[in-house]
Amino acid sequence: MIRSQTVLGQMIARMADEDHYRRWSAQVERAGHCVRPVRLSGSAMTVNTATGEIEATYSSEQEPGGVLLVACKDRRESVCPPCAARYRADAWHVFAGGVTPDDGDEAGHPLVLATFTAPSFGHVHACRDGGVCRTARGGKRGNRTCEHGKPLWCHARHTPGDGMVGAPLCEDCADLAGLVLWNAHVGELWRRTVIYIYRALAALAPNVGGRPVTVRSVREMLRLSYAKVAEFQKRGVVHLHVLARLDGVNADDPDQVIAPPAWAGVDLLTAALTHAARRVSVPLPVVDARTAAMARWGAQLDVRAVQAREVDRARVAGYLAKYATKTVSDSVSGLTASRPRADEPDVDGGGRLPAHVAALTATIRRLARLGTCRALRLARHVHTLGFRGHVTSKSRRYSTTFAALREARRAWRLARRTRERDPWAHPDPDGADHAVTVLVGDWRIAGVGYRTLGDRVLAEVLGREHREAREALRLGLAE
Ligand SMILES: [Zn+2]
Ligand SMILES: [Zn+2]
Ligand SMILES: [Zn+2]
């Protein structure tokens, strides 16, 4: 009770001075209603490089509390929902930009959504929509046990939130080292898969101009463009969701995105992905006698053609964007969303991890000490269970980049400020005024997150109001 009064007191104090509150809430809005903004203190000035004249100065001292709030820009939903929402919107544009290729010829570009899975590293407890986890398959001899005496069945009906889901039926039977090494090599496995896809496209293509398409000539005719997202499964292994598109190649202008020749359709793309996924492999470091020597894709490969209809293409972009803001902590209970800072307990410290996740982190630490695994630097990737890549990535010509989107947003904000005669607006470099101004700043981080819980609650309220207003606008309920 005392605690809530204190929070209320903080909120009232924040709102007491109308002018202060207006400035503070404008900052919160500019930070995108981030839940843990970076608080900066310092100053900056714009200097005209032609004249050396200082055109404007700004100090955080002008702001309430003497600090400037800046969005944390974290992509992870579990860390900052508003920043993750913004990232998701950007990701949607990146993915959707690719499903509508630059030439605008959606129907001419075959597009598929493929999910590349990992192989099995031992039986795990599973959630089966209310069904039994794993039925006994013992035949006449009844329920069988493994060589360690553990049952190979489980009659529980696990719910999705059940911490058991993803845990091995027997930890000694499970190939945890294989799982960790697989995560560590999935990036390389994908790189090789792309090479194999080109080979498969050549092998499976019909004769063109009376001649077979060779591995050498296929890249002169076709280009595989893709965006992919890595998603952690409950058992701690990553899946890749890949949006793959087939483009043609304009030899005179390689950057141009054009439709592929008519013979390269969605059936050829699907067949090439399947063909490549079955054949590609990556050699793994030797760690013990039982762990596989090669990383391969699992038997489950799901490839779906995406129709040229706008609604279908928008839906797959949304589907991938949603995965882009998920983290290992959303799938694997107990893990934190990021590498722990030096002053935080380690991921497996404190004994709060479920047993099977603790067994995985212990395996990573064991492998990290082996000479054969040194190059993998596994000790740095305990929090991602060995996975070392980027969650979201794309081929160069797939679509617009995140950097381009950020640049566009900044340009838009500057343009708006110019209209509002903001002294902070940079002159348009392409405009009539060619004077060049530079921004010189000296900033220190005063802290991360709102200074009080009351501020945080207020920011959340402002964020909700902002979203509701936008939603009303979208639905045509407001002016
Ligand atoms: Zn944030
Ligand atoms: Zn079970
Ligand atoms: Zn066993």
Side-chain angles (χ1 to χ4, degrees), residues 187-216:
E188 175 61 12
L189 186 59
W190 172 253
R191 194 186 69 80
R192 291 181 184 216
T193 302
V194 172
I195 296 169
Y196 275 61
I197 290 169
Y198 278 105
R199 284 187 200 162
L201 285 168
L204 300 169
N207 285 355
V208 176
R211 266 185 275 159
V213 175
T214 62
V215 175
R216 183 189 280 263

Side-chain angles (χ1 to χ4, degrees), residues 263-314:
W263 53 264
V266 74
D267 291 342
L268 178 69
L269 177 58
T270 305
L273 288 175
T274 311
H275 201 265
R278 294 217 179 104
R279 281 163 186 77
V280 69
S281 62
V282 177
L284 295 176
V286 178
V287 293
D288 53 47
R290 57 191 286 245
T291 297
M294 293 286 193
R296 291 195 168 81
W297 298 111
Q300 266 187 26
L301 173 71
D302 185 37
V303 185
R304 282 174 208 199
V306 182
Q307 303 305 317
R309 293 188 325 179
E310 199 182 325
V311 50
D312 293 315
R313 300 206 160 203

Side-chain angles (χ1 to χ4, degrees), residues 105-134:
D105 179 15
E106 286 96 340
H109 292 257
L111 181 76
V112 298
L113 179 62
T115 303
F116 290 77
T117 60
S120 168
F121 296 99
H123 299 310
V124 296
H125 292 277
C127 163
R128 303 194 194 279
D129 279 337
V132 162
C133 171
R134 196 170 179 82

Side-chain angles (χ1 to χ4, degrees), residues 47-84:
V47 180
N48 185 317
T49 52
T51 63
E53 198 183 329
I54 294 171
E55 294 185 339
T57 57
Y58 170 83
S59 162
S60 64
E61 290 304 316
Q62 299 164 225
E63 301 293 342
V67 291
L68 182 67
L69 301 176
V70 178
C72 75
K73 294 195 178 134
D74 205 293
R75 79 172 168 82
R76 296 162 302 185
E77 179 74 34
S78 53
V79 175
C80 180
C83 290

Side-chain angles (χ1 to χ4, degrees), residues 124-126 132-134 153-158 164-165 167 169:
V124 296
H125 292 277
V132 162
C133 171
R134 196 170 179 82
W153 49 272
C154 169
H155 286 164
R157 294 169 197 273
H158 301 295
M164 285 298 284
V165 176
L169 263 69

